[in-house]
Amino acid sequence: RLTVSLRGNLEVKGKINVFTFTGQLDAFSEKQFKSFITSSLEQKPLPFVIDLMKIDFLDSSGLGALVQTAKECKKLKLKFSVIGNSRVVQTIKLVRLAEFLNLKLNLEEALKI
């Protein structure tokens, strides 16, 4: 549980952390989003997937949080990928971040990190 508008969960599948988020990833929830991922990765620095399939709304602040997360991963040489519903995917592609965020079609593909 992160905020009223965003809920997060962490599940380990094999040797990959899968972060699942529900709700809205926006200006009100991006700090909690970042701290949830960061604190989990400090405990278990495993490759990970950010599952945004149940995100209803993603704004520029949410995209910024994803970009910051991606930059930190590149510094740490930690592999990651992002999956999302059609609305999230469309938003990410619109701002040309699909490759940078390692956007995948589904969880099965994303787990092949």
Side-chain angles (χ1 to χ4, degrees), residues 13 32 44 46 57 72 77 87 104:
K13 293 191 179 202
Q32 291 84 357
K44 289 183 184 171
L46 296 172
F57 180 75
E72 288 172 24
K77 294 185 170 70
R87 191 177 306 141
K104 300 294 181 190

Side-chain angles (χ1 to χ4, degrees), residues 2-47:
L2 300 173
T3 68
V4 174
S5 63
L6 182 72
R7 288 175 301 288
N9 187 40
L10 170 61
E11 187 180 341
V12 180
K13 293 191 179 202
K15 294 191 179 209
I16 299 175
N17 282 335
V18 178
F19 294 97
T20 306
F21 293 94
T22 305
Q24 300 176 357
L25 181 50
D26 57 16
F28 299 107
S29 61
E30 55 106 4
K31 283 187 177 116
Q32 291 84 357
F33 169 84
K34 291 261 315 127
S35 65
F36 182 69
I37 290 180
T38 304
S39 65
S40 299
L41 291 177
E42 285 171 356
Q43 295 167 17
K44 289 183 184 171
L46 296 172

Side-chain angles (χ1 to χ4, degrees), residues 47-59:
F48 66 96
V49 174
I50 297 175
D51 180 347
L52 303 177
M53 291 292 202
K54 295 179 182 170
I55 288 293
D56 303 320
F57 180 75
L58 174 68
D59 73 358

Side-chain angles (χ1 to χ4, degrees), residues 87-112:
R87 191 177 306 141
V88 169
V89 167
Q90 182 181 13
T91 303
I92 289 172
K93 286 183 174 180
L94 185 70
V95 292
R96 298 186 175 146
L97 286 172
E99 193 174 316
F100 185 75
L101 295 176
N102 201 18
L103 187 65
K104 300 294 181 190
L105 297 174
N106 54 46
L107 185 57
E108 187 180 325
E109 188 183 323
L111 290 173
K112 296 177 185 173

